[in-house]
Amino acid sequence: MNPFTQFVKGVTDRLGKGFSSLGQSDPAKMAYMRNLERQLQSEDMMEMPFDDLRVVVFDLETTGFYPYNGDEILSIGAVRVKGKQVLEDETFYSLVYSDAPPSEEIEGLTGITEEMLQEAPPVKDVLRDFYSFVRGGVLIAHHARHEKQFMSHVTWRELKKTFSYRIVDTAFVTKIAHEDKNLVTLDDCCSVYDIENHDRHHALSDAMATAELWTSCIRDIQQMGFVNLRDVYTYLAKTEYGRF
């Protein structure tokens, strides 16, 4: 058993009921530690040096925050990244068909209209095209819980398949690179690196900005001695566990 696995197992054992027992006091930390636990299942990803790591950074625009209460995906945008290079010519974008108009608030925020959605492909086709684009790679998103909830719900509903991808949250690397700053939103994080996002709340534009944020943070943490995702999760597991 490698040191990281031993450490996380030790945390689980000390907590008695495992990570799930944390949810009653702090759901955010609960989700964080569950994600750490899941990463143990993907050894190749964890050990690969950042400069060799191939990822897909993606973003969703949705009608709200609660897929299990009827909120839907409006669009998916994604871009491939290799190491610290954003592959700007390798992108994915699609609107998703809906026969229901978006609310005035969502239309104003995203620029997505009823007419645009009625001309879009159905979600089942969009999902298949997106997974073909991903090709089994590592997924990256900013505050990934939102994306994970929607992708899990819709993938099962439409394709009858479990969403099995690991999603690495950019918040993990920003927490290391800028531990002294309280960076929360994508706008907050991008402002630190002067990353411009000219079309905020457009899924592809936000994915491109998140990709730039990811690569910028990777440069910073490499200078701090971090080599791969295992280093990131080991560090965060130790520091977060110390705060429980």
Side-chain angles (χ1 to χ4, degrees), residues 1 23 32 40 51 58 60 67 71 94 96 100 127 130 132 140 150 180 182 194 200-203 205 212 243:
M1 185 181 296
Y32 166 83
L40 299 178
D51 287 339
F58 80 113
L60 305 179
D71 285 323
S94 181
V96 177
L127 287 175
F130 175 70
S132 178
I140 307 286
F150 275 89
D180 59 328
N182 183 28
D194 295 323
R200 186 74 169 93
H201 298 295
H202 183 285
S205 183
E212 294 288 349
R243 295 170 189 164

Side-chain angles (χ1 to χ4, degrees), residues 30-171:
M30 173 61 228
Y32 166 83
M33 292 303 292
R34 274 182 174 167
N35 193 62
L36 288 180
E37 195 174 26
R38 284 193 295 269
Q39 301 310 316
L40 299 178
Q41 302 171 26
S42 187
E43 295 298 317
D44 290 343
M45 177 189 76
M46 297 291 285
E47 299 291 351
M48 187 173 293
F50 285 124
D51 287 339
D52 298 328
L53 189 64
R54 289 181 177 270
V55 304
V56 172
V57 182
F58 80 113
D59 182 78
L60 305 179
E61 294 303 324
T62 61
T63 61
F65 299 102
Y66 307 105
Y68 298 100
N69 290 339
D71 285 323
E72 298 286 353
I73 297 174
L74 296 174
S75 62
I76 303 177
V79 58
R80 292 194 182 107
V81 175
K82 181 181 179 183
K84 298 187 291 292
Q85 180 183 5
V86 179
L87 305 178
E88 298 182 359
D89 294 332
E90 300 185 22
T91 62
F92 175 92
Y93 179 73
S94 181
L95 292 164
V96 177
Y97 172 82
S98 175
D99 56 6
S103 67
E104 290 185 7
E105 180 183 4
I106 294 299
E107 181 175 336
L109 190 67
T110 65
I112 296 173
T113 66
E114 179 180 6
E115 293 73 22
M116 294 165 66
L117 296 177
Q118 290 181 343
E119 296 174 358
V123 65
K124 182 178 293 186
D125 292 347
V126 176
L127 287 175
R128 287 172 174 163
D129 290 345
F130 175 70
Y131 289 136
S132 178
F133 176 81
V134 174
R135 299 176 188 168
V138 179
L139 291 175
I140 307 286
H142 187 69
H143 289 307
R145 183 181 180 186
H146 177 76
E147 277 71 18
K148 179 65 181 290
Q149 284 184 327
F150 275 89
M151 294 303 289
S152 296
H153 176 68
V154 176
T155 298
W156 178 255
R157 186 188 70 192
E158 299 295 330
L159 303 179
K160 294 299 181 284
K161 293 182 179 180
T162 300
F163 181 77
S164 58
Y165 287 85
R166 306 298 186 268
I167 303 181
V168 180
D169 198 325
T170 49

